[in-house]
Amino acid sequence: MKLVATPIRLSTLDATFEADFQKRLHWSADTDIAIEQRVTDILADVRRRGDPAVLEYTQRFDAQSASSVSELELTQAEFKDAFNRIPSAQREALQAAAARVRSYHEAQIKACGGSWSYRDEHGTLLGQKVTPLDRVGIYVPGGKATYPSTVLMCAIPAHVAGVGEIIMVVPTPRGEKNALVLATAYVAGVTRAFTIGGAQAVAALAYGTQTVPKVDKITGPGNAYVASAKKRVFGTVGIDMIAGPSEILVLADGTTPPDWVAMDLFSQAEHDELAQSILLCPDAAYLDAVQAAMDRLLPEMPRANIIAKSLSDRGALILTRDMEEACAISNRIAPEHLEVSSREPHRWEPLLKHAGAIFLGAYTSESLGDYCAGPNHVLPTSGTARFSSPLGVYDFQKRSSLIEVSQQGAQTLGRIAAVLAHGEGLQAHARAAEMRLTGALPNLD
């Protein structure tokens, strides 16, 4: 039987559009109860036993035996050797991508600014001190696929932010190490790395073991076990986000070659069966042309089975009244990746409020953003772009408020604070402020 990708066809003119649209968008972020319980047990075990538990789960889930966790640590020499062994084209591509990612995140530093302060009319100093995190962990998926690009996107902004240590964990089932991932760790400047994965890796980073150092924050994507573990260790450490399935939404005006758009929809559908690919366009004939292109191109895809299921189960080709309506629907979806495949992308960009990343113009395929354009590819999913941002240097920094009240300033601020504290019934707060109204520091001369 011929394999086909059949995304649902919808039209905003149909009376049932709203119900059909919501049904197609629906995806539950709730993790399977069995997974949640297993993750809970693994986290507790690693927290209690440390290295022995990590070794046990690594043997059980990755079929990788070791007598100590130190045997699972990758060395800087291995990183450099892998870099030297990969084909020259890969070396050059890695270095070019790394340079662009670094340049973009350095621009973020300049835009965000650093520490700042000022003095008010009473001489009181107020400000903010910006400091990098001491140590972060990056989770790099391994197994069905490998993601050296994730190493770039997590490690480089951490370096730019000034993070002192970057600890990478990457599963290597049956001990099979991916040379490109190791080479990328060399280019990106990973400090230490361990060949462990799953919930046990997240636990090791969050709690620390006899060998794996405890980190301040964990970034990077993973499967349902990793996502559940990150959610549960939040508070002990920081996390970047809980990522759902990959998403792409294409706003098209019908001027881009249909093959290009079809392949862009494939680019996210090939990640997994739950990925979502949606096309919005006011031209019905163009939607037909994109469907025909998908039918023609699908047999060429090595991951055709995954693409077909993803598009058939969660994909959509939606006919809109006009591009303005398409932009409004896009804002409701708040997609991870948003392509504006139009001859006039800057006409529509001001209408777009919610998206992880916006790709402007027919030549800007989402895949360029995944690897080498420069902006980060770790993006909010499942509508969280309404209130979340891409991973950036700001995720690897923290801010401390600076307050230095002068004697004159204490006379004004003390009275204000005392009134409010008494109103809240917090007498010690009030008295602490009031003491500064009449008291003076002793003369130490």
Side-chain angles (χ1 to χ4, degrees), residues 79 94 101 138-141 146-159 166 168-170 178 180-190 193 219-221 370 376-378 391 396:
F79 294 163
L94 266 182
V101 173
I138 62 175
Y139 189 98
V140 181
T146 53
Y147 295 95
S149 56
T150 296
V151 184
L152 293 178
M153 298 297 177
C154 290
I156 288 178
H159 263 299
I166 300 169
M168 181 176 84
V169 291
V170 55
N178 182 274
L180 190 55
V181 169
L182 269 60
T184 309
Y186 174 75
V187 171
V190 169
T219 69
D370 273 350
N376 211 287
H377 80 191
V378 180
L391 190 70
F396 299 101

Side-chain angles (χ1 to χ4, degrees), residues 270-281:
E270 74 174 345
H271 273 295
D272 63 64
E273 292 86 349
L274 291 176
Q276 184 155 68
S277 302
I278 295 175
L279 170 61
L280 297 172
C281 180

Side-chain angles (χ1 to χ4, degrees), residues 354-409:
H354 307 306
I358 302 173
F359 302 79
L360 299 171
Y363 287 101
T364 316
S365 74
E366 180 278 332
S367 59
L368 301 182
D370 273 350
Y371 295 105
C372 58
N376 211 287
H377 80 191
V378 180
L379 303 168
T381 63
S382 308
T384 59
R386 292 177 294 107
F387 53 82
S388 299
S389 306
L391 190 70
V393 292
Y394 35 75
D395 287 295
F396 299 101
Q397 296 174 324
K398 53 187 173 60
R399 288 155 179 78
S400 302
S401 298
L402 290 176
I403 307 168
E404 181 189 16
V405 179
S406 66
Q407 183 175 4
Q408 181 184 358

